[in-house]
């Protein structure tokens, strides 16, 4: 006798699905909480390090003006601008201490060359270490060191790793409670959803059973279904729902990553401007020359903020178009390039750089003129900034009936191979410190790639065997 499937025995598929989905969800929430704890601590540690690195930079700027060997002037600056409990140490690359605001018996202070933050700063320019016990003072500190190779000097600042520091690095309990509340709410919502799904599956099961036994389908327990392929439609809806969810998650992740990158890029110049202005406000009798330098540097950082906002606006405009110029016009690419050559003449002269423009006299094109300009201008600015002194930029084109194939190259230092695949990403920098000092926003090559794609082209980059880097891209004439 064939068992009846009108009434399922044991646990239903809805119950099993509820337990499975809830278990997976709990595991995911636990993982996210763990990742948030680690990420939050790392983020807060980076903020503390950024604050100390900014202090190191400002102290170095003052040392340049007051004298790096004037211990009295150094001590006065530290005492005037120190944060409560801060320890400031000046170290030579050999590890020898030349100044410490807490310990004055330099001859008996151990060599600091192998201290983690100092060793990292000597290798990478800056470094920090969290919760390390000071062998000199016997206290735990958060250390942040910056290396200034031009003066063979490491400036290290440190804050006590006390309760205040621990409070700053503790996980946000509000986030934990919100996550737990969300878990409870989602559990209830999930239960209701699975319960309704279970009833639908039971009805589909009953439908299949009765259809298999050729029994009547005109009963009240099947009145909600029409005489059609409900199972196929349900499966299609589920698949469509999953695709939509994946798409939303990907878009949300992209927006989250972009928002984090924008916030990270904006906070550095903002923090620098704030630091300079706070110093000026706190020192109304500051030397006029130093004050002017602080104001000029604040202005330079404000210009960088402006450039960031312009580039972000350009990329947002590109994201809102459907991969084609919105209002195409007829113009001449050769004329645009000649204008860029003239506009950058002074910058190239300062670096003794040449620009071999091998384009024909006319190169007619139809598209978005401002975006095409941004392609050649960003590539030119990038070469001027990073190729090196006395280098040469060369621009060549091959004309076909369907497209223009450009080669934009220089004979400079090239790009480390491990970075080639990522240089078109937004805010990606090969040398972050140098790029920011040169005023780069990290968006130039992303704008180049998007502008090329909008004009139906592709772009690649490669290092040249003879030295330098070549960007090869096409613009569709269709």
């Amino acid at each position: 006798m064939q068992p009846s499937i009108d009434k399922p025995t044991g646990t239903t598929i809805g119950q099993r699905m509820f337990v499975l989905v809830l278990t997976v969800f709990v595991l995911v929430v636990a993982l996210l909480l763990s990742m948030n704890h680690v990420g939050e601590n790392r983020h807060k540690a980076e903020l503390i390090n950024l604050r100390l690195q900014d202090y190191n930079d400002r102290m170095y700027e003052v040392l340049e003006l007051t004298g790096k060997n004037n211990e009295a002037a150094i001590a006065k600056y530290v005492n005037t601008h120190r944060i409560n409990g801060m320890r400031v140490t000046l170290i030579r690359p050999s590890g020898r201490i030349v100044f410490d605001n807490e310990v004055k018996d330099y001859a008996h202070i151990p060599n600091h060359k192998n201290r983690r933050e100092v060793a990292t700063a000597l290798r990478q320019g800056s470094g920090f270490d969290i919760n390390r016990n000071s062998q000199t003072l016997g206290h735990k500190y958060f250390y942040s060191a910056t290396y200034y190779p031009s003066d063979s000097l490491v400036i290290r600042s440190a804050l006590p790793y006390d309760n205040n520091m621990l409070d700053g690095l503790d996980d946000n309990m509000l986030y934990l409670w919100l996550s737990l509340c969300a878990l409870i709410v989602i559990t209830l919502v999930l239960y209701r959803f699975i319960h309704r799904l279970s009833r639908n599956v039971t009805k589909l099961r009953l439908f299949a059973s009765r259809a298999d036994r050729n029994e009547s389908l005109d009963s009240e327990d099947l009145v909600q279904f029409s005489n059609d392929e409900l199972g196929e439609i349900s499966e299609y809806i589920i698949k469509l729902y999953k695709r939509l969810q994946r798409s939303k998650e990907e878009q949300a992740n992209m927006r989250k990553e972009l928002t984090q990158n924008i916030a990270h890029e904006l906070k550095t110049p903002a923090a620098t401007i704030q630091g300079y202005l706070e110093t000026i406000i706190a020192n109304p009798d500051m030397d006029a020359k130093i004050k002017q330098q602080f104001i000029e540097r604040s202005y330079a950082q404000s210009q960088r903020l402006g450039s960031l906002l312009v580039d972000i606006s350009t990329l947002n405009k590109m994201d809102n178009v459907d991969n084609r110029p919105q209002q195409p016009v007829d113009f001449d690419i050769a004329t645009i390039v000649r204008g860029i050559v003239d506009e950058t003449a002074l910058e190239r002269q300062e670096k003794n750089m040449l620009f071999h423009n091998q384009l024909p006299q006319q190169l007619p094109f139809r598209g978005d003129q401002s975006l095409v300009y941004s392609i050649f201008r960003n590539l030119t600015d990038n070469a001027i900034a990073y190729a090196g002194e006395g280098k040469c930029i060369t621009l060549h084109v091959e004309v076909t009936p369907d497209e223009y194939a450009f080669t934009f190259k220089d004979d400079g230092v090239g790009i480390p191979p491990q970075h080639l695949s990522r240089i078109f990403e937004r805010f990606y920098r090969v040398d972050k410190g140098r790029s920011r000092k040169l005023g780069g926003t990290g968006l130039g090559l992303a704008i180049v790639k998007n502008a090329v794609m909008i004009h139906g082209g592709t772009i690649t980059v490669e290092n040249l065997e003879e030295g330098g880097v070549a960007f090869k891209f096409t613009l569709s004439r269709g």
Side-chain angles (χ1 to χ4, degrees):
M1 180 177 178
Q2 184 178 1
S4 173
I5 60 174
D6 286 357
K7 294 182 179 180
T9 59
T11 58
T12 66
I13 185 173
Q15 293 170 335
R16 293 195 299 272
M17 184 179 295
F18 174 76
V19 173
L20 176 62
V21 172
L22 184 60
T23 301
V24 173
F25 183 77
V26 169
L27 291 176
V28 170
V29 169
L31 178 61
L32 290 176
L33 286 173
S34 176
M35 292 174 61
N36 176 74
H37 177 78
V38 175
E40 191 76 12
N41 284 357
R42 184 187 300 113
H43 175 67
K44 291 176 180 177
E46 289 174 352
L47 289 178
I48 296 172
N49 181 53
L50 179 64
R51 183 183 181 189
L52 293 178
Q53 288 286 324
D54 182 62
Y55 180 91
N56 294 346
D57 289 337
R58 285 186 283 139
M59 181 174 180
Y60 178 73
E61 292 167 0
V62 172
L63 290 181
E64 286 187 310
L65 298 174
T66 60
K68 302 177 183 61
N69 298 317
N70 189 339
E71 182 167 342
I74 298 172
K76 180 179 178 182
Y77 177 84
V78 172
N79 291 331
T80 304
H81 299 85
R82 67 181 292 184
I83 304 170
N84 187 32
M86 174 178 280
R87 179 186 177 190
V88 180
T89 311
L90 274 59
I91 309 165
R92 293 299 180 189
S94 63
R96 182 173 60 88
I97 304 298
V98 295
F99 174 81
D100 192 295
N101 67 315
E102 296 290 345
V103 180
K104 298 304 179 182
D105 188 7
Y106 305 150
H108 292 86
I109 298 179
N111 189 283
H112 277 49
K113 184 175 182 179
N114 293 325
R115 296 293 196 270
R116 180 180 176 183
E117 70 283 355
V118 175
T120 304
L122 290 173
R123 290 195 312 270
Q124 302 177 6
S126 64
F128 69 92
D129 193 8
I130 302 175
N131 191 18
R132 193 188 76 234
N133 194 58
S134 170
Q135 298 179 14
T136 306
L137 298 178
H139 301 303
K140 291 183 178 181
Y141 283 89
F142 183 112
Y143 295 93
S144 181
T146 310
Y147 179 42
Y148 302 94
S150 60
D151 294 292
S152 297
L153 184 66
V154 175
I155 298 179
R156 187 187 72 176
S157 54
L159 288 174
Y161 198 84
D162 53 17
N163 290 333
N164 291 332
M165 178 72 73
L166 290 175
D167 290 340
L169 295 180
D170 278 342
D171 195 14
N172 191 340
M173 292 301 298
L174 178 60
Y175 180 87
L176 177 61
W177 284 111
L178 289 176
S179 299
L180 291 176
C181 292
L183 176 60
I184 294 173
V185 172
I186 292 177
T187 300
L188 295 175
V189 173
L190 180 63
Y191 174 78
R192 294 190 60 187
F193 173 76
I194 295 297
H195 183 64
R196 290 198 303 268
L197 180 62
S198 179
R199 286 189 302 173
N200 289 335
V201 171
T202 300
K203 291 179 180 179
L204 289 173
R205 184 189 184 105
L206 178 61
F207 174 84
S209 174
R210 293 185 179 180
D212 181 61
R213 297 199 299 261
N214 294 319
E215 294 181 0
S216 174
L217 302 177
D218 298 324
S219 58
E220 292 183 1
D221 47 9
L222 293 177
V223 70
Q224 296 182 13
F225 295 105
S226 58
N227 191 12
D228 57 14
E229 309 211 15
L230 182 59
E232 181 179 349
I233 294 175
S234 299
E235 183 180 357
Y236 173 80
I237 292 174
I238 292 173
K239 289 180 178 179
L240 178 60
Y241 174 79
K242 289 182 177 180
R243 286 201 299 269
L244 290 174
Q245 286 298 103
R246 284 196 297 268
S247 176
K248 289 179 179 179
E249 288 179 3
E250 291 173 356
Q251 292 177 1
N253 289 336
M254 290 177 62
R255 286 195 296 268
K256 181 179 179 181
E257 182 178 357
L258 179 59
T259 300
Q260 290 174 342
N261 287 335
I262 290 173
H264 177 74
E265 293 299 324
L266 292 178
K267 73 180 180 183
T268 300
T272 303
I273 293 172
Q274 182 178 355
Y276 283 131
L277 295 180
E278 285 178 352
T279 303
I280 293 173
I281 293 172
N283 297 273
D285 298 326
M286 178 186 293
D287 181 78
K289 185 176 180 181
I290 297 177
K291 187 174 185 179
Q292 181 63 25
Q293 288 184 358
F294 281 14
I295 293 173
E296 290 175 355
R297 287 167 182 165
S298 296
Y299 177 72
Q301 291 297 323
S302 70
Q303 288 182 311
R304 180 165 176 260
L305 277 174
S307 298
L308 273 169
L309 294 174
V310 170
D311 285 350
I312 292 170
S313 175
T314 301
L315 281 173
N316 284 338
K317 185 178 77 171
M318 292 180 179
D319 289 342
N320 292 329
V321 303
D322 54 352
N323 286 332
R324 59 181 179 181
Q326 293 299 290
Q327 295 180 337
V329 296
D330 294 318
F331 58 93
D332 181 37
I333 294 179
T335 300
I336 287 179
V337 171
R338 286 194 294 269
I340 292 173
V341 173
D342 292 337
E343 292 167 7
T344 59
L346 183 59
E347 298 173 52
R348 288 184 290 103
Q349 183 179 357
E350 291 176 352
K351 291 195 173 184
N352 194 27
M353 297 181 69
L354 298 177
F355 194 126
H356 287 168
N357 180 12
Q358 298 178 355
L359 300 186
Q361 283 297 111
Q362 293 185 335
L363 211 60
F365 189 71
R366 182 172 180 80
D368 189 315
Q369 185 171 350
S370 64
L371 293 184
V372 172
Y373 172 87
S374 71
I375 295 172
F376 294 95
R377 182 57 193 254
N378 277 302
L379 289 175
T380 302
D381 290 342
N382 197 66
I384 293 173
Y386 302 109
E389 297 280 344
K391 302 303 179 180
C392 179
I393 301 170
T394 303
L395 176 60
H396 174 72
V397 65
E398 293 181 9
V399 181
T400 69
D402 298 326
E403 64 183 18
Y404 293 135
F406 295 92
T407 300
F408 188 101
K409 64 181 182 179
D410 62 63
D411 57 352
V413 296
I415 299 173
Q418 67 271 24
H419 298 289
L420 282 174
S421 62
R422 300 191 60 190
I423 62 171
F424 293 110
E425 295 178 13
R426 298 178 183 187
F427 297 111
Y428 187 80
R429 294 183 175 92
V430 175
D431 185 343
K432 295 183 179 180
R434 182 164 179 255
S435 178
R436 288 195 177 99
K437 288 180 181 178
L438 294 173
T441 64
L443 295 173
L445 291 182
I447 291 174
V448 169
K449 181 179 180 180
N450 283 18
V452 168
M453 292 174 60
I454 286 175
H455 288 89
T458 59
I459 184 168
T460 60
V461 59
E462 61 183 17
N463 283 320
L464 302 174
E465 292 183 2
E466 62 270 24
V469 64
F471 292 86
K472 297 181 178 181
F473 60 97
T474 60
L475 297 177
S476 174
R477 302 177 66 184

